[in-house]
Amino acid sequence: MASEVCQHIDAVTDVKQAKARRCEECVKIGARWLHLRTCQSCGATLCCDSSPNRHATKHATSSGHPVVASAEPGERWLYCYPDDQMAEY
Ligand SMILES: [Zn+2]
Ligand SMILES: [Zn+2]
Ligand SMILES: [Zn+2]
């Protein structure tokens, strides 16, 4: 990992990939999503800020899990919510 990023992203050594390509919370409520993010603390796959329900952001806020990875095909980056930092891997 690059040294320019925050400690949260720095602590991610093995990037968790999405187990299933769907937002776990949207599925429960029958909602739609746009893009998917995978929490690097617990592995939950949730929807991005462009989705109506913004489950990944809600999860980061409520659980304190700081870092998500993009779960979109071909995208290889991590994002830290508390530090607003993004890093490719
Ligand atoms: Zn951070
Ligand atoms: Zn969602
Ligand atoms: Zn989590």
Side-chain angles (χ1 to χ4, degrees):
M1 287 288 161
S3 55
E4 302 295 307
V5 299
C6 69
Q7 55 179 350
H8 308 106
I9 289 176
D10 222 32
V12 177
T13 48
D14 244 346
V15 177
K16 288 186 174 65
Q17 304 294 332
K19 292 190 238 26
R21 290 197 34 78
R22 57 171 187 249
C23 171
E24 295 174 7
E25 295 300 320
C26 282
V27 165
K28 287 183 198 163
I29 59 174
R32 289 170 177 272
W33 60 86
L34 207 61
H35 298 129
L36 295 169
R37 310 287 179 245
T38 300
C39 176
Q40 295 301 296
S41 300
C42 68
T45 296
L46 299 162
C47 57
C48 72
D49 273 359
S50 304
S51 308
N53 291 292
R54 302 181 173 196
H55 284 128
T57 299
K58 284 181 188 162
H59 175 76
T61 306
S62 64
S63 67
H65 295 166
V67 181
V68 293
S70 174
E72 296 303 309
E75 290 188 4
R76 292 173 60 86
W77 51 260
L78 298 164
Y79 177 74
C80 174
Y81 283 98
D83 294 306
D84 190 24
Q85 288 267 354
M86 195 181 236
E88 297 197 2
Y89 65 87

XYZ file of all heavy atoms in Angstrom:
687
model
N 0.831 -1.205 0.000
C 0.000 0.000 0.000
C 0.870 1.262 0.000
O 1.923 1.283 0.618
C -0.885 0.029 1.242
C -2.035 -0.974 1.202
S -3.318 -0.499 0.035
C -4.118 -2.082 -0.175
N 0.413 2.284 -0.637
C 1.147 3.547 -0.661
C 1.162 4.143 0.744
O 0.278 3.886 1.545
C 0.484 4.517 -1.623
N 2.145 4.946 1.028
C 2.268 5.501 2.366
C 1.533 6.834 2.492
O 1.476 7.419 3.553
C 3.743 5.698 2.714
O 4.350 6.491 1.719
N 0.942 7.288 1.391
C 0.269 8.595 1.393
C -1.125 8.536 2.002
O -1.743 9.559 2.207
C 0.134 9.112 -0.047
C 1.459 9.259 -0.776
C 2.338 10.322 -0.148
O 1.853 11.442 0.015
O 3.490 10.019 0.179
N -1.623 7.334 2.255
C -2.999 7.195 2.711
C -3.078 7.111 4.225
O -2.077 7.015 4.911
C -3.678 5.963 2.076
C -3.719 6.104 0.565
C -2.983 4.688 2.482
N -4.290 7.142 4.736
C -4.506 7.122 6.177
C -4.252 5.733 6.750
O -4.145 4.748 6.034
C -5.929 7.568 6.482
S -7.151 6.372 5.937
N -4.249 5.670 8.077
C -3.939 4.408 8.767
C -4.981 3.330 8.500
O -4.665 2.141 8.514
C -3.837 4.668 10.272
C -5.092 5.328 10.822
C -5.014 5.561 12.328
O -4.119 5.072 12.992
N -5.970 6.320 12.859
N -6.222 3.755 8.264
C -7.277 2.755 8.032
C -7.039 1.995 6.724
O -7.150 0.780 6.666
C -8.653 3.432 7.977
C -8.935 4.305 9.159
N -8.921 5.673 9.089
C -9.219 3.983 10.439
C -9.187 6.168 10.287
N -9.380 5.176 11.123
N -6.744 2.757 5.669
C -6.486 2.132 4.376
C -5.170 1.363 4.445
O -5.048 0.267 3.905
C -6.468 3.199 3.250
C -7.896 3.705 3.026
C -5.889 2.628 1.959
C -8.013 4.829 2.006
N -4.205 1.940 5.148
C -2.914 1.292 5.310
C -3.056 -0.070 5.988
O -2.287 -0.990 5.739
C -2.018 2.199 6.153
C -0.605 2.245 5.605
O -0.453 2.138 4.377
O 0.326 2.372 6.415
N -4.057 -0.198 6.862
C -4.244 -1.431 7.627
C -4.878 -2.546 6.802
O -4.905 -3.699 7.223
C -5.108 -1.146 8.857
N -5.397 -2.199 5.627
C -6.021 -3.212 4.774
C -4.931 -3.917 3.971
O -4.320 -3.327 3.093
C -7.055 -2.581 3.808
C -7.643 -3.652 2.889
C -8.161 -1.889 4.588
N -4.673 -5.146 4.312
C -3.627 -5.875 3.597
C -4.241 -6.832 2.580
O -3.688 -7.056 1.518
C -2.743 -6.676 4.579
O -3.588 -7.405 5.463
C -1.873 -5.737 5.382
N -5.376 -7.391 2.915
C -6.092 -8.311 2.040
C -7.428 -7.684 1.713
O -8.274 -7.574 2.590
C -6.341 -9.628 2.787
C -5.608 -10.783 2.141
O -5.149 -10.615 1.001
O -5.521 -11.843 2.781
N -7.630 -7.248 0.504
C -8.882 -6.571 0.167
C -10.011 -7.589 0.067
O -9.937 -8.559 -0.676
C -8.745 -5.790 -1.153
C -10.076 -5.154 -1.542
C -7.662 -4.726 -1.013
N -11.047 -7.357 0.879
C -12.223 -8.240 0.837
C -13.034 -7.945 -0.424
O -13.343 -6.799 -0.711
C -13.124 -7.987 2.061
C -12.570 -8.486 3.368
C -13.630 -8.295 4.459
C -13.210 -8.905 5.779
N -12.026 -8.232 6.377
N -13.384 -9.003 -1.128
C -14.206 -8.850 -2.323
C -15.665 -9.146 -1.978
O -15.950 -9.816 -0.990
C -13.727 -9.808 -3.418
C -12.247 -9.648 -3.787
C -11.937 -8.312 -4.437
O -12.800 -7.707 -5.074
N -10.714 -7.833 -4.272
N -16.563 -8.653 -2.797
C -17.989 -8.898 -2.570
C -18.288 -10.388 -2.693
O -17.840 -11.037 -3.630
C -18.814 -8.120 -3.578
N -19.045 -10.917 -1.728
C -19.435 -12.324 -1.792
C -20.556 -12.500 -2.820
O -20.638 -13.509 -3.495
C -19.904 -12.801 -0.416
C -18.785 -12.852 0.617
C -19.276 -13.564 1.857
C -19.236 -12.876 3.147
N -19.261 -11.586 3.538
N -21.422 -11.504 -2.893
C -22.511 -11.535 -3.866
C -22.687 -10.124 -4.389
O -22.506 -9.159 -3.650
C -23.796 -12.013 -3.208
N -23.008 -9.999 -5.667
C -23.108 -8.677 -6.253
C -24.503 -8.087 -6.039
O -25.273 -7.928 -6.964
C -22.730 -8.724 -7.732
C -21.230 -8.971 -7.895
C -20.720 -8.636 -9.275
N -21.395 -7.515 -9.884
C -21.162 -6.229 -9.596
N -20.274 -5.905 -8.693
N -21.827 -5.298 -10.215
N -24.792 -7.789 -4.786
C -26.050 -7.141 -4.450
C -25.888 -6.435 -3.107
O -25.063 -6.822 -2.285
C -27.185 -8.157 -4.381
C -26.927 -9.273 -3.395
C -28.152 -10.139 -3.184
N -27.876 -11.081 -2.108
C -27.734 -12.402 -2.281
N -27.866 -12.927 -3.464
N -27.469 -13.181 -1.259
N -26.706 -5.391 -2.922
C -26.697 -4.692 -1.638
C -27.556 -5.482 -0.660
O -28.747 -5.681 -0.896
C -27.238 -3.272 -1.787
S -27.481 -2.470 -0.182
N -26.942 -5.927 0.438
C -27.648 -6.761 1.422
C -28.878 -6.069 1.990
O -29.889 -6.703 2.273
C -26.692 -7.107 2.583
C -25.522 -7.966 2.136
C -24.489 -8.184 3.240
O -24.754 -7.779 4.388
O -23.431 -8.763 2.947
N -28.777 -4.758 2.189
C -29.894 -4.022 2.796
C -30.986 -3.711 1.776
O -32.172 -3.761 2.099
C -29.377 -2.733 3.443
C -28.445 -2.971 4.626
C -29.125 -3.751 5.746
O -30.306 -3.489 6.031
O -28.478 -4.639 6.335
N -30.589 -3.374 0.557
C -31.597 -3.103 -0.482
C -32.420 -4.354 -0.773
O -33.625 -4.270 -1.012
C -30.940 -2.610 -1.763
S -30.441 -0.880 -1.698
N -31.773 -5.503 -0.761
C -32.481 -6.753 -1.030
C -33.602 -6.940 -0.003
O -34.712 -7.335 -0.345
C -31.487 -7.945 -1.006
C -32.219 -9.274 -0.918
C -30.608 -7.913 -2.254
N -33.311 -6.608 1.261
C -34.302 -6.781 2.336
C -35.541 -5.912 2.133
O -36.644 -6.296 2.488
C -33.682 -6.419 3.695
C -32.702 -7.444 4.208
C -32.190 -7.027 5.590
C -30.906 -7.754 5.939
N -30.195 -7.091 7.057
N -35.336 -4.710 1.616
C -36.455 -3.772 1.491
C -36.956 -3.644 0.059
O -37.834 -2.832 -0.233
C -36.078 -2.374 2.050
C -34.871 -1.785 1.308
C -35.790 -2.450 3.549
C -34.547 -0.346 1.706
N -36.375 -4.414 -0.840
C -36.820 -4.397 -2.230
C -36.457 -3.123 -2.970
O -37.147 -2.718 -3.898
N -35.357 -2.488 -2.549
C -34.936 -1.238 -3.185
C -33.914 -1.517 -4.291
O -33.385 -2.615 -4.404
C -34.345 -0.302 -2.139
N -33.647 -0.481 -5.079
C -32.654 -0.590 -6.144
C -31.380 0.122 -5.719
O -31.399 1.003 -4.886
C -33.177 0.080 -7.416
C -34.294 -0.691 -8.050
C -34.943 0.131 -9.148
N -35.976 -0.651 -9.806
C -35.739 -1.452 -10.849
N -34.526 -1.541 -11.349
N -36.715 -2.136 -11.387
N -30.281 -0.257 -6.359
C -28.997 0.387 -6.080
C -28.285 0.642 -7.389
O -28.652 0.082 -8.417
C -28.152 -0.482 -5.161
C -27.846 -1.823 -5.737
C -26.804 -2.132 -6.572
C -28.593 -3.035 -5.563
N -26.866 -3.464 -6.923
C -27.940 -4.041 -6.314
C -29.730 -3.360 -4.833
C -28.403 -5.340 -6.360
C -30.194 -4.666 -4.895
C -29.538 -5.638 -5.642
N -27.248 1.479 -7.305
C -26.493 1.839 -8.492
C -25.150 1.098 -8.498
O -24.898 0.268 -9.346
C -26.281 3.347 -8.511
C -26.117 3.975 -9.881
C -27.351 3.749 -10.729
C -25.861 5.475 -9.740
N -24.312 1.425 -7.536
C -23.003 0.782 -7.440
C -22.855 0.122 -6.085
O -23.553 0.489 -5.140
C -21.882 1.813 -7.642
C -21.920 2.450 -8.988
N -21.899 3.813 -9.163
C -22.018 1.906 -10.219
C -21.974 4.076 -10.467
N -22.052 2.949 -11.122
N -21.905 -0.793 -5.988
C -21.729 -1.551 -4.747
C -20.354 -1.314 -4.139
O -19.365 -1.129 -4.848
C -21.921 -3.040 -5.027
C -23.337 -3.431 -5.457
C -23.357 -4.858 -5.965
C -24.320 -3.248 -4.310
N -20.337 -1.349 -2.805
C -19.105 -1.203 -2.035
C -19.042 -2.341 -1.030
O -20.071 -2.728 -0.492
C -19.112 0.125 -1.264
C -19.455 1.344 -2.123
C -18.321 1.711 -3.034
N -18.628 2.854 -3.866
C -18.738 2.791 -5.198
N -18.600 1.651 -5.832
N -18.976 3.865 -5.884
N -17.840 -2.829 -0.753
C -17.693 -3.898 0.237
C -16.932 -3.380 1.449
O -15.812 -2.874 1.315
C -16.955 -5.108 -0.387
O -17.718 -5.582 -1.497
C -16.816 -6.236 0.632
N -17.559 -3.516 2.627
C -16.938 -3.079 3.884
C -15.712 -3.935 4.163
O -15.785 -5.167 4.117
C -17.939 -3.202 5.028
S -17.216 -2.803 6.634
N -14.600 -3.283 4.474
C -13.358 -4.015 4.709
C -13.214 -4.462 6.150
O -12.271 -5.172 6.489
C -12.161 -3.159 4.279
C -12.144 -2.885 2.783
C -12.104 -4.168 1.955
O -11.130 -4.926 2.028
N -13.163 -4.441 1.196
N -14.147 -4.098 7.010
C -14.116 -4.578 8.388
C -14.919 -5.857 8.536
O -14.501 -6.791 9.211
C -14.663 -3.514 9.335
O -13.889 -2.339 9.257
N -16.103 -5.913 7.921
C -16.986 -7.064 8.132
C -17.373 -7.773 6.844
O -18.019 -8.816 6.893
C -18.232 -6.623 8.896
S -19.302 -5.542 7.950
N -17.015 -7.218 5.693
C -17.296 -7.904 4.432
C -18.692 -7.673 3.886
O -19.066 -8.276 2.885
N -19.473 -6.807 4.516
C -20.821 -6.528 4.017
C -20.728 -5.777 2.693
O -19.893 -4.880 2.542
C -21.586 -5.697 5.035
N -21.579 -6.152 1.752
C -21.620 -5.449 0.462
C -22.874 -4.597 0.422
O -23.993 -5.098 0.601
C -21.559 -6.445 -0.699
O -20.292 -7.111 -0.647
C -21.692 -5.726 -2.042
N -22.685 -3.304 0.228
C -23.763 -2.324 0.352
C -23.668 -1.305 -0.775
O -22.674 -1.248 -1.488
C -23.654 -1.627 1.722
C -23.795 -2.583 2.914
C -23.243 -1.945 4.177
C -25.232 -3.011 3.106
N -24.721 -0.483 -0.906
C -24.781 0.409 -2.064
C -24.128 1.761 -1.792
O -23.994 2.210 -0.654
C -26.227 0.567 -2.508
S -27.342 1.167 -1.227
N -23.727 2.427 -2.876
C -22.937 3.649 -2.843
C -23.801 4.889 -2.615
O -25.020 4.810 -2.544
C -22.194 3.801 -4.163
S -23.320 4.253 -5.505
N -23.141 6.033 -2.580
C -23.818 7.311 -2.349
C -24.661 7.777 -3.527
O -25.445 8.704 -3.390
C -22.785 8.394 -2.024
C -22.474 8.417 -0.544
O -23.064 7.615 0.202
O -21.656 9.247 -0.138
N -24.495 7.179 -4.682
C -25.342 7.532 -5.819
C -26.629 6.717 -5.816
O -27.514 6.939 -6.631
C -24.597 7.276 -7.131
O -23.378 7.980 -7.126
N -26.729 5.761 -4.899
C -27.928 4.943 -4.770
C -28.887 5.635 -3.813
O -28.460 6.370 -2.926
C -27.567 3.564 -4.222
O -26.533 2.994 -4.989
N -30.199 5.412 -3.976
C -31.177 6.133 -3.150
C -30.993 5.921 -1.646
O -31.233 6.822 -0.862
C -32.519 5.548 -3.609
C -32.264 4.936 -4.942
C -30.822 4.544 -4.982
N -30.554 4.736 -1.254
C -30.511 4.434 0.185
C -29.134 4.572 0.835
O -29.021 4.522 2.057
C -31.078 3.036 0.432
C -32.569 2.987 0.178
O -33.334 3.587 0.912
N -32.984 2.326 -0.889
N -28.111 4.716 0.040
C -26.750 4.976 0.558
C -26.373 4.076 1.729
O -25.890 4.549 2.772
C -26.632 6.441 1.009
C -26.932 7.407 -0.098
C -26.772 8.823 0.366
N -26.897 9.753 -0.745
C -26.511 11.009 -0.703
N -25.970 11.486 0.400
N -26.649 11.780 -1.746
N -26.575 2.792 1.557
C -26.368 1.884 2.677
C -24.914 1.782 3.129
O -24.653 1.575 4.312
C -26.918 0.501 2.324
C -28.413 0.438 2.403
N -29.205 -0.021 1.378
C -29.246 0.790 3.409
C -30.483 0.056 1.754
N -30.534 0.547 2.974
N -23.969 1.913 2.212
C -22.562 1.810 2.614
C -22.187 2.949 3.558
O -21.502 2.734 4.558
C -21.655 1.816 1.385
N -22.658 4.152 3.254
C -22.372 5.303 4.118
C -23.065 5.147 5.470
O -22.469 5.408 6.517
C -22.825 6.600 3.429
O -22.098 6.739 2.209
C -22.571 7.810 4.312
N -24.314 4.704 5.436
C -25.040 4.488 6.692
C -24.338 3.448 7.554
O -24.227 3.596 8.767
C -26.476 4.029 6.405
C -27.376 5.151 5.938
C -28.787 4.632 5.704
C -29.646 5.706 5.042
N -30.851 5.150 4.426
N -23.853 2.402 6.900
C -23.151 1.334 7.618
C -21.874 1.874 8.246
O -21.570 1.597 9.402
C -22.842 0.199 6.646
C -22.023 -0.905 7.229
N -22.544 -1.848 8.085
C -20.701 -1.216 7.097
C -21.584 -2.685 8.446
N -20.459 -2.332 7.858
N -21.120 2.650 7.494
C -19.860 3.205 8.005
C -20.130 4.102 9.210
O -19.392 4.082 10.204
C -19.146 3.988 6.910
N -21.195 4.890 9.136
C -21.530 5.805 10.221
C -22.007 5.052 11.459
O -21.571 5.324 12.573
C -22.631 6.782 9.756
O -22.193 7.409 8.556
C -22.906 7.841 10.801
N -22.898 4.075 11.245
C -23.497 3.408 12.401
C -22.567 2.367 13.015
O -22.584 2.153 14.226
C -24.831 2.764 12.007
O -24.598 1.739 11.061
N -21.732 1.729 12.202
C -20.889 0.650 12.725
C -19.483 1.127 13.068
O -18.770 0.473 13.814
C -20.784 -0.467 11.691
O -20.056 0.007 10.574
N -19.069 2.256 12.481
C -17.707 2.724 12.694
C -16.696 1.993 11.836
O -15.498 2.132 12.038
N -17.155 1.206 10.877
C -16.234 0.535 9.959
C -15.784 1.553 8.919
O -16.598 2.035 8.132
C -16.935 -0.641 9.269
C -17.325 -1.736 10.219
N -18.194 -2.753 9.888
C -16.943 -1.949 11.503
C -18.329 -3.559 10.944
N -17.595 -3.099 11.934
N -14.487 1.899 8.879
C -14.067 3.070 8.103
C -13.874 2.856 6.606
O -14.092 3.775 5.832
C -12.728 3.448 8.751
C -12.199 2.168 9.324
C -13.396 1.360 9.720
N -13.446 1.653 6.204
C -12.972 1.506 4.819
C -13.868 0.589 3.997
O -14.259 -0.485 4.450
C -11.518 0.966 4.793
C -11.013 0.836 3.356
C -10.601 1.880 5.580
N -14.184 1.031 2.784
C -14.884 0.179 1.828
C -14.017 0.029 0.582
O -13.176 0.870 0.298
C -16.251 0.766 1.402
C -17.235 0.776 2.571
C -16.108 2.150 0.797
N -14.259 -1.044 -0.155
C -13.656 -1.220 -1.469
C -14.769 -1.156 -2.493
O -15.900 -1.544 -2.208
C -12.947 -2.570 -1.557
N -14.454 -0.675 -3.685
C -15.438 -0.751 -4.750
C -15.697 -2.211 -5.076
O -14.771 -3.009 -5.159
C -14.926 -0.035 -5.999
O -15.852 -0.260 -7.061
N -16.964 -2.550 -5.256
C -17.309 -3.915 -5.670
C -17.693 -3.943 -7.139
O -18.289 -4.907 -7.607
C -18.442 -4.449 -4.796
N -17.361 -2.877 -7.859
C -17.662 -2.825 -9.288
C -16.551 -3.525 -10.069
O -15.372 -3.367 -9.761
C -17.765 -1.367 -9.749
C -18.920 -0.615 -9.105
C -20.254 -1.289 -9.366
O -20.539 -1.572 -10.546
O -21.000 -1.557 -8.417
N -16.941 -4.283 -11.112
C -15.931 -4.980 -11.915
C -14.942 -3.993 -12.526
O -15.338 -2.958 -13.036
C -16.750 -5.660 -13.017
C -18.168 -5.622 -12.575
C -18.307 -4.504 -11.595
N -13.665 -4.308 -12.427
C -12.646 -3.471 -13.036
C -12.200 -2.300 -12.182
O -11.244 -1.622 -12.501
N -12.920 -2.037 -11.067
C -12.509 -0.945 -10.176
C -11.729 -1.535 -9.015
O -12.179 -2.467 -8.364
C -13.736 -0.193 -9.645
C -14.426 0.608 -10.715
C -15.529 1.508 -10.148
O -15.693 1.559 -8.924
O -16.217 2.134 -10.960
N -10.558 -0.960 -8.787
C -9.708 -1.451 -7.697
C -9.293 -0.271 -6.836
O -8.215 0.289 -7.002
C -8.471 -2.159 -8.277
C -8.812 -3.466 -8.986
C -7.597 -4.038 -9.694
N -6.508 -4.328 -8.767
C -6.401 -5.477 -8.089
N -7.290 -6.418 -8.232
N -5.385 -5.673 -7.285
N -10.198 0.118 -5.944
C -9.850 1.207 -5.041
C -10.534 1.022 -3.701
O -11.533 0.334 -3.563
C -10.178 2.574 -5.633
C -11.570 2.752 -6.172
C -11.943 2.688 -7.488
C -12.770 3.038 -5.432
N -13.293 2.928 -7.590
C -13.822 3.141 -6.365
C -13.040 3.235 -4.082
C -15.135 3.416 -5.986
C -14.352 3.505 -3.695
C -15.380 3.599 -4.646
N -9.931 1.678 -2.707
C -10.443 1.667 -1.338
C -10.808 3.093 -0.973
O -10.188 4.040 -1.450
C -9.358 1.168 -0.373
C -8.858 -0.261 -0.606
C -7.551 -0.455 0.144
C -9.887 -1.271 -0.148
N -11.812 3.233 -0.113
C -12.191 4.568 0.347
C -12.370 4.547 1.857
O -12.984 3.633 2.405
C -13.497 5.009 -0.333
C -13.977 6.344 0.155
C -13.338 7.514 -0.249
C -15.041 6.440 1.053
C -13.755 8.746 0.219
C -15.463 7.681 1.523
C -14.813 8.821 1.102
O -15.218 10.043 1.579
N -11.824 5.555 2.522
C -11.964 5.684 3.974
C -12.936 6.821 4.267
O -12.705 7.960 3.850
C -10.607 5.978 4.616
S -10.754 6.312 6.384
N -14.014 6.517 4.964
C -15.021 7.531 5.282
C -14.518 8.597 6.246
O -14.607 9.792 5.943
C -16.291 6.865 5.821
C -17.128 6.252 4.717
C -17.053 4.900 4.441
C -17.978 7.041 3.952
C -17.812 4.325 3.424
C -18.745 6.485 2.938
C -18.654 5.134 2.685
O -19.409 4.593 1.679
N -13.985 8.210 7.419
C -13.598 9.283 8.370
C -12.539 10.232 7.820
O -12.522 11.405 8.154
C -13.096 8.527 9.603
C -13.020 7.095 9.228
C -13.886 6.879 8.032
N -11.647 9.725 6.975
C -10.571 10.581 6.467
C -10.825 11.094 5.056
O -10.012 11.864 4.530
C -9.242 9.805 6.490
C -8.821 9.502 7.903
O -8.735 10.443 8.706
O -8.582 8.321 8.210
N -11.919 10.639 4.409
C -12.212 11.032 3.037
C -10.999 10.802 2.126
O -10.574 11.695 1.396
C -12.661 12.503 2.992
C -13.221 12.883 1.609
O -13.671 11.979 0.871
O -13.168 14.063 1.266
N -10.437 9.609 2.233
C -9.246 9.258 1.448
C -9.579 8.128 0.507
O -10.314 7.214 0.871
C -8.143 8.758 2.394
C -7.511 9.821 3.242
C -6.259 10.404 2.608
O -5.797 9.926 1.571
N -5.731 11.436 3.224
N -9.008 8.189 -0.680
C -9.203 7.121 -1.652
C -7.842 6.627 -2.101
O -6.907 7.402 -2.239
C -9.987 7.691 -2.829
C -10.559 6.655 -3.735
S -11.412 7.511 -5.067
C -13.006 6.804 -4.909
N -7.733 5.311 -2.303
C -6.474 4.749 -2.763
C -6.729 3.590 -3.696
O -7.615 2.774 -3.450
C -5.636 4.283 -1.568
N -5.953 3.505 -4.759
C -6.051 2.355 -5.639
C -5.177 1.240 -5.090
O -4.249 1.490 -4.334
C -5.598 2.748 -7.059
C -6.503 3.812 -7.637
C -6.377 3.949 -9.144
O -5.597 3.182 -9.745
O -7.043 4.829 -9.689
N -5.519 0.037 -5.456
C -4.688 -1.088 -5.011
C -4.414 -2.016 -6.175
O -4.971 -1.831 -7.251
C -5.348 -1.832 -3.855
C -6.649 -2.526 -4.189
C -6.649 -3.834 -4.700
C -7.878 -1.878 -4.007
C -7.850 -4.466 -4.994
C -9.071 -2.515 -4.295
C -9.044 -3.807 -4.801
O -10.218 -4.431 -5.095
Zn -8.806 6.518 7.413
Zn -28.530 -0.508 -0.425
Zn -18.759 -3.332 8.107
